[in-house]
Amino acid sequence: MAAVLFDFSGTLFRVETTESWLRAVLAETGRVLSETELISTAQALEEAGALPGGAVPVELPPDLTDLWAVRDESAELHRAAYTALSRRVPLPDPGLHDALYERHMSPAAWTPYPDAAEVLRALRERGIGVGVVSNIGWDLRPVFREHGLDPYVDTYVLSYEHGVQKPDPRLFSVACEALGADPRQVLMVGDSRPADGGATALGCRVHFVDHLPVAKRPDALLPVLELMR
């Protein structure tokens, strides 16, 4: 195997909880909710699927179906989709919906899985190319830099920068070309069978991990090192 491609959210990093997300924005903006209101609002935001990288909507509003399907194809579509979901939930200030969206793009909102650095470092030491292929609407590179993982990544292929999203094989093809790797010698690691499984169309092998909280998934990436022997 010549290279490994990793998904971002739910694979290498996990976004903060919806409650933490809301608390952070309220603190940043000086807005106040009672503890009871905060918890109920966070729950409503989670059910709405308003936190990118968090839970999917319990029930997607019919008027957002088309937008949701292409949300990762551009920065504008991504913001429109998630702020539309957020606005289904009343907040003390309408401006908080945009503030919430901005918060989720900050490095502070993301935590790497415990074994992410170890695995990426080991791959680099073995001379194996590493790419990040993500369905996303914003630049995640600062997250990797802030958490010290950027030195281990050779290329980033982000859906919004290419106008296509996984499982479209074109996104995986761009990553393989950037790494100079034959797709048949590439492993794709992700948490979504429908999205990340698209790499098989090129002949890539695929390894799946569970999208779990950081504390509940300490070593799911370690098998990657065995697969690359």
Side-chain angles (χ1 to χ4, degrees), residues 75-133:
E76 294 75 18
L77 292 171
H78 192 269
R79 178 183 286 271
Y82 283 101
T83 55
L85 291 172
S86 173
R87 290 190 175 95
R88 303 275 168 165
V89 180
L91 294 177
D93 180 345
L96 289 175
H97 297 288
D98 285 319
L100 284 169
Y101 186 83
E102 294 295 328
R103 164 70 187 184
H104 103 274
M105 296 187 288
S106 69
W110 296 88
T111 301
Y113 281 96
D115 53 349
E118 177 184 351
V119 169
L120 292 176
R121 185 184 306 113
L123 293 173
R124 172 51 57 89
E125 291 171 352
R126 295 183 191 179
I128 295 171
V130 170
V132 172
V133 182

Side-chain angles (χ1 to χ4, degrees), residues 183-204:
R184 293 168 296 181
Q185 296 180 322
V186 172
L187 176 68
M188 174 68 206
V189 183
D191 67 299
S192 171
R193 282 167 171 76
D196 300 311
T200 60
L202 296 178
C204 299

Side-chain angles (χ1 to χ4, degrees), residues 26-96:
L26 291 173
E28 290 166 3
T29 59
R31 297 293 177 176
V32 178
L33 288 175
S34 70
E35 189 66 13
T36 299
E37 290 175 320
L38 190 151
I39 292 173
S40 64
T41 300
Q43 181 61 37
L45 286 167
E46 180 154 349
E47 291 177 0
L51 172 58
V56 298
V58 171
E59 183 177 352
L60 186 64
D63 60 315
L64 293 181
T65 301
D66 291 343
L67 175 59
W68 182 256
V70 296
R71 65 191 182 280
D72 295 315
E73 293 184 3
S74 76
E76 294 75 18
L77 292 171
H78 192 269
R79 178 183 286 271
Y82 283 101
T83 55
L85 291 172
S86 173
R87 290 190 175 95
R88 303 275 168 165
V89 180
L91 294 177
D93 180 345
L96 289 175

Side-chain angles (χ1 to χ4, degrees), residues 81-179:
Y82 283 101
T83 55
L85 291 172
S86 173
R87 290 190 175 95
R88 303 275 168 165
V89 180
L91 294 177
D93 180 345
L96 289 175
H97 297 288
D98 285 319
L100 284 169
Y101 186 83
E102 294 295 328
R103 164 70 187 184
H104 103 274
M105 296 187 288
S106 69
W110 296 88
T111 301
Y113 281 96
D115 53 349
E118 177 184 351
V119 169
L120 292 176
R121 185 184 306 113
L123 293 173
R124 172 51 57 89
E125 291 171 352
R126 295 183 191 179
I128 295 171
V130 170
V132 172
V133 182
S134 178
N135 280 352
I136 199 166
W138 50 277
D139 187 4
L140 52 72
R141 295 172 182 85
V143 175
F144 280 77
R145 287 196 292 269
E146 182 69 22
H147 291 280
L149 300 187
D150 180 66
Y152 308 124
V153 179
D154 298 296
T155 189
Y156 296 91
V157 180
L158 312 181
S159 61
Y160 84 101
E161 293 181 336
H162 297 274
V164 294
Q165 58 190 36
K166 297 181 292 187
D168 193 315
R170 287 177 292 177
L171 213 58
F172 305 106
S173 180
V174 169
C176 291
E177 289 175 9
L179 294 170

